[in-house]
Amino acid sequence: MFPFFIVLLFSFSWSVSAHNHEDFVQCLSHYSNSSSISQLIYTQANSSYSSVLNFSIQNPRFSSPSTPKPLVIITPLQLSHVQAAINCSRQHGMQVRVRSGGHDFEGLSYVSDVPFIVIDLIEMRSINVDLETSTAWVEAGATIGEVYYRIAEKTRTLGFPAGACPTVGVGGHISGGGDGPLHRKYGLAADNVIDAHIVDVQGRFLDRESMGEDLFWAIRGGGGASFGVVLAWKIQLLPVPSTVTVFTLNKNLEQNATKLIHRWQYVADKLDEDLFIMIILQTVNSSSEGGSSKITIQASFQSLFLGGVDRLIPLMENSFPELGLTREDCLEMSWIESTLYLAGFPSEEESLGVLLNRTFSGALLSSKAKSDYVRKPIPEAAFEGIWEKMYEEEVGRAILIFIPYGARMADISESETPFPHRAGNIYKILHSIYWEKEQSSVESQRHISWMRELYAYFTPYVSKNPRAAYLNYRDLDIGVNRNNITSYTQSSIWGIKYFKNNFNRLVHVKTRADPTNFFRNEQSIPPLSSSVKKTGN
Ligand SMILES: Cc1cc2nc3c(=O)[nH]c(=O)nc-3n(C[C@H](O)[C@H](O)[C@H](O)COP(=O)(O)OP(=O)(O)OC[C@H]3O[C@@H](n4cnc5c(N)ncnc54)[C@H](O)[C@@H]3O)c2cc1C
Ligand SMILES: *[C@@H]1O[C@H](CO)[C@@H](O)[C@H](O)[C@H]1NC(C)=O
Ligand SMILES: *[C@@H]1O[C@H](CO)[C@@H](O)[C@H](O)[C@H]1NC(C)=O
Ligand SMILES: *[C@@H]1O[C@H](CO)[C@@H](O)[C@H](O)[C@H]1NC(C)=O
Ligand SMILES: *[C@@H]1O[C@H](CO)[C@@H](O)[C@H](O)[C@H]1NC(C)=O
Ligand SMILES: *[C@@H]1O[C@H](CO)[C@@H](O)[C@H](O)[C@H]1NC(C)=O
Ligand SMILES: *[C@@H]1O[C@H](CO)[C@@H](O)[C@H](O)[C@H]1NC(C)=O
Ligand SMILES: *[C@@H]1O[C@H](CO)[C@@H](O)[C@H](O)[C@H]1NC(C)=O
Ligand SMILES: *[C@@H]1O[C@H](CO)[C@@H](O)[C@H](O)[C@H]1NC(C)=O
């Protein structure tokens, strides 16, 4: 019933704003004396509108005919285009969505329940690596795969701690935190940002110095979308050894997977900082001796070790002998090859080019995801209930990923950045379910309901007060701002889950940076004054 209501509201206000968007387009051409800006503006009258919109939709759940579409998409090439887009949006009461890689789990970078435009940063993706200072300037539209590739072009002994999926955009990823295989050693992507360029609500260009430390703090984990348009990050590159080791050990339930997962919880966050072992859980067909196949749960213990196999084997014998890792299970390679390996590509030098490919193969499936943090080991018996749930028939393709924290992640204080999930967290869970995009909305709802039931099952075993969540695994189930107002009380429900005590500081920064709440969405930080703030229409 709720989505239906939104659609009605939306189509009503669409006509109201029809002339706003014409004025907006007029305004853009007026502001910019470069004739080329019209080449960067797409309305539904342009034949390429739909391919530009679709290109960075990474979840087809938000690509149906009933999904609200932007009135205008602008693909800026430079600062002045972004400034013009902001100045004109404000002048004509247009709601703005900013998109970098388009991976938002709830589509917030390209969907809105009020008339809106999209600033799509796909053309602003230059990367400038400076070996002398071990830093790089990275424009927001770049993907993390592009960042890894450009670093490796210059050196094989520097890397950057960010996520495992190469098509994720740095605009959303870094402003939401950004964890990955190197975070036990170096922390989040956001922990390694040393400067940033943004455009604020007044259309001003700001760097770290001119935006001030509060705003610079907020955009490194608090989400960029509440504060402005991030144009670029200056990131600190970090040493990686010339040889790293990877392995993937698959254990199904018949191979004592449950015991191993249970045991993993006691070691995962305490392992050497050079060692990262995550678990990917999914249902698979296991073929037994007679050739007959049977459904079971498979746990893949997948690892990155920052060193050679000679150092890894004794480490594993000491800390996690139950896994039974042998040399034969391990592969030595360069760090850049390991980024391919962990993303599921062939890990060869010849394949490095796939890091530049912005097409995400997973975008063929619809999905719904949620997050959890685990602070004390889940009892072995409780896993049996999870397996039961995963066997349920209507489940599309369910994947649970357990991502270990600890080491550097636990050394950084909860208030250092808005991302608060530090000491005390053993691991994070990514709950996800995928299904064919052609399925009906009734079937889609069934998958989403299944995900919510699984999440309910986990309640006794995960973090409480708050039941913490990860901003980059956006989940509108945990609470939303109402469609036309943003209130502190409402926002604090989801805000405390994502940010704990940092939520209040984010509200204060927001109040100073964007007092009229121009930059807003279903889960944007509210300014204090706008407990009842009307939309731009
Ligand atoms: C396959 C897959 C794998 C993932 N793996 C990881 C992982 O390993 N670790 C991890 O931490 N996360 C991971 N994520 C989550 C990912 O980090 C977030 O979805 C992230 O926000 C995506 O950034 P984006 O630029 O691609 O998304 P977008 O959808 O473009 O943006 C996400 C949000 O950020 C805002 N935003 C985007 N660009 C800007 C900008 N330039 N200025 C201001 N606001 C902006 C958007 O408006 C939106 O609210 C994964 C997601 C997917 C789909
Ligand atoms: C606009 O014109 C001025 C003066 O001719 C020029 O310096 C500037 O670069 C132009 N801006 C754009 C975006 O083309
Ligand atoms: C979209 O159409 C308008 C009007 O015909 C045109 O001016 C503009 O250049 C087109 N945009 C693109 C990107 O081609
Ligand atoms: C964009 O996606 C929609 C929904 O899947 C589809 O109907 C449309 O044809 C696509 N447009 C292009 C140009 O591929
Ligand atoms: C937008 O407004 C800001 C000041 O508020 C100004 O500095 C900037 O030049 C304007 N830019 C454009 C392109 O409109
Ligand atoms: C499972 O564990 C039991 C006891 O801990 C052990 O005897 C058995 O060999 C293990 N099975 C496999 C397949 O490793
Ligand atoms: C297992 O195999 C059956 C029959 O081949 C197939 O229908 C089913 O989708 C498979 N399940 C998984 C989880 O791979
Ligand atoms: C990019 O990746 C997509 C999805 O994996 C694939 O279909 C496509 O062929 C790739 N493109 C190139 C140029 O390799
Ligand atoms: C918000 O929307 C609701 C329902 O449409 C309406 O009753 C309420 O008056 C609106 N509030 C504001 C502040 O516009």
Side-chain angles (χ1 to χ4, degrees):
M1 222 193 258
F2 185 60
F4 184 60
F5 166 75
I6 299 278
V7 171
L8 280 183
L9 184 74
F10 176 77
S11 28
F12 170 72
S13 28
W14 182 288
S15 55
V16 173
S17 72
H19 88 171
N20 289 27
H21 103 260
E22 281 158 25
D23 292 348
F24 167 77
V25 171
Q26 272 284 295
C27 171
L28 278 181
S29 5
H30 165 80
Y31 255 123
S32 167
N33 57 355
S34 92
S35 59
S36 68
I37 199 163
S38 87
Q39 299 303 306
L40 312 173
I41 301 169
Y42 303 82
T43 69
Q44 288 171 4
N46 294 91
S47 57
S48 40
Y49 168 89
S50 143
S51 57
V52 171
L53 176 64
N54 287 5
F55 187 78
S56 297
I57 294 185
Q58 312 293 7
N59 186 348
R61 181 151 70 96
F62 306 107
S63 189
S64 76
S66 61
T67 309
K69 306 283 190 289
L71 294 164
V72 181
I73 304 170
I74 168 163
T75 55
L77 303 175
Q78 61 194 48
L79 166 66
S80 69
H81 298 155
V82 176
Q83 290 178 304
I86 295 300
N87 294 357
C88 292
S89 300
R90 226 162 33 111
Q91 207 167 315
H92 295 284
M94 300 298 301
Q95 177 73 82
V96 168
R97 292 294 153 107
V98 183
R99 183 164 76 172
S100 290
H103 286 73
D104 193 281
F105 284 165
E106 300 278 14
L108 293 196
S109 56
Y110 53 88
V111 182
S112 171
D113 54 13
V114 295
F116 67 109
I117 66 144
V118 166
I119 299 177
D120 188 331
L121 295 173
I122 187 160
E123 301 296 345
M124 293 184 71
R125 57 169 190 269
S126 73
I127 296 170
N128 212 325
V129 174
D130 180 19
L131 285 186
E132 213 141 283
T133 54
S134 298
T135 60
W137 271 107
V138 177
E139 283 190 306
T143 62
I144 54 185
E146 289 168 332
V147 173
Y148 298 160
Y149 184 94
R150 296 300 167 205
I151 297 171
E153 251 180 352
K154 297 221 165 151
T155 171
R156 293 300 163 93
T157 53
L158 288 174
F160 184 67
C165 173
T167 54
V168 165
V170 300
H173 187 66
I174 299 185
S175 65
D179 66 12
L182 290 181
H183 68 225
R184 301 194 67 251
K185 175 86 170 184
Y186 291 126
L188 305 171
D191 295 330
N192 295 287
V193 169
I194 50 186
D195 201 344
H197 291 164
I198 71 166
V199 171
D200 77 353
V201 61
Q202 284 162 47
R204 288 179 307 193
F205 169 81
L206 303 174
D207 65 3
R208 178 176 184 167
E209 196 182 345
S210 51
M211 80 178 80
E213 287 302 302
D214 268 351
L215 187 50
F216 183 63
W217 173 85
I219 58 173
R220 288 172 298 142
S226 299
F227 301 98
V229 182
V230 176
L231 298 172
W233 306 105
K234 186 180 188 183
I235 59 174
Q236 180 67 58
L237 309 182
L238 293 151
V240 289
S242 52
T243 301
V244 307
T245 306
V246 297
F247 67 81
T248 304
L249 273 182
N250 295 328
K251 301 283 181 183
N252 62 31
L253 295 188
E254 293 68 40
Q255 297 164 320
N256 288 342
T258 310
K259 271 194 161 36
L260 289 170
I261 296 163
H262 181 252
R263 179 68 197 144
W264 171 87
Q265 299 178 105
Y266 291 85
V267 299
D269 64 318
K270 298 177 192 72
L271 293 170
D272 189 286
E273 62 176 10
D274 290 336
L275 182 53
F276 171 91
I277 308 176
M278 64 176 177
I279 305 178
I280 303 159
L281 290 163
Q282 56 195 318
T283 51
V284 293
N285 283 323
S286 76
S287 42
S288 53
E289 305 291 303
S292 64
S293 79
K294 152 176 192 301
I295 298 281
T296 183
I297 307 286
Q298 175 180 281
S300 303
F301 291 82
Q302 190 168 75
S303 176
L304 170 66
F305 176 63
L306 297 172
V309 67
D310 288 342
R311 188 157 72 91
L312 174 60
I313 294 294
L315 254 177
M316 286 295 285
E317 277 166 2
N318 254 320
S319 41
F320 196 10
E322 299 86 347
L323 195 59
L325 183 75
T326 66
R327 252 165 204 282
E328 291 66 46
D329 300 318
C330 298
L331 289 169
E332 288 188 332
M333 57 182 62
S334 63
W335 172 75
I336 193 66
E337 289 166 334
S338 80
T339 67
L340 292 173
Y341 177 87
L342 296 172
F345 295 107
S347 47
E348 291 131 23
E349 196 64 28
E350 306 85 72
S351 314
L352 289 185
V354 308
L355 293 171
L356 302 176
N357 185 344
R358 296 181 74 102
T359 305
F360 170 47
S361 57
L364 295 172
L365 295 171
S366 288
S367 63
K368 168 68 190 161
K370 300 173 85 68
S371 57
D372 261 315
Y373 281 93
V374 178
R375 301 175 66 89
K376 57 177 206 282
I378 297 177
E380 201 174 320
F383 285 111
E384 302 300 333
I386 300 168
W387 310 154
E388 287 301 308
K389 203 81 200 110
M390 288 179 80
Y391 285 140
E392 278 179 18
E393 207 192 335
E394 68 267 14
V395 176
R397 180 151 181 236
I399 303 184
L400 299 187
I401 307 185
F402 293 0
I403 296 155
Y405 275 23
R408 179 79 188 124
M409 287 296 277
D411 290 342
I412 299 173
S413 89
E414 287 196 0
S415 58
E416 183 72 25
T417 70
F419 176 98
H421 315 294
R422 306 288 187 170
N425 292 292
I426 304 173
Y427 60 104
K428 179 185 72 178
I429 301 177
L430 169 59
H431 310 272
S432 60
I433 174 103
Y434 298 85
W435 63 92
E436 302 296 327
K437 62 180 174 191
E438 290 78 17
Q439 291 188 3
S440 70
S441 61
V442 173
E443 287 168 308
S444 299
Q445 268 317 312
R446 201 157 47 221
H447 295 303
I448 294 171
S449 301
W450 177 87
M451 171 60 42
R452 291 175 181 151
E453 289 162 21
L454 180 76
Y455 187 72
Y457 177 87
F458 270 94
T459 308
Y461 310 116
V462 297
S463 63
K464 297 175 189 52
N465 305 315
R467 182 170 187 175
Y470 178 34
L471 178 67
N472 264 346
Y473 295 174
R474 171 113 43 212
D475 178 9
L476 296 185
D477 294 351
I478 67 171
V480 291
N481 304 325
R482 287 227 312 270
N483 51 65
N484 57 354
I485 60 169
T486 310
S487 84
Y488 177 84
T489 320
Q490 243 172 0
S491 312
S492 64
I493 297 170
W494 53 263
I496 301 284
K497 290 172 183 288
Y498 286 144
F499 307 115
K500 297 192 181 173
N501 290 333
N502 296 327
F503 179 65
N504 285 333
R505 182 168 173 199
L506 286 169
V507 169
H508 284 282
V509 177
K510 170 75 176 184
T511 307
R512 245 168 296 144
D514 181 21
T516 62
N517 204 17
F518 171 74
F519 290 111
R520 66 182 178 277
N521 61 45
E522 290 80 346
Q523 284 183 341
S524 58
I525 305 293
L528 266 181
S529 51
S530 76
S531 55
V532 178
K533 181 69 71 183
K534 287 201 71 201
T535 53
N537 300 300

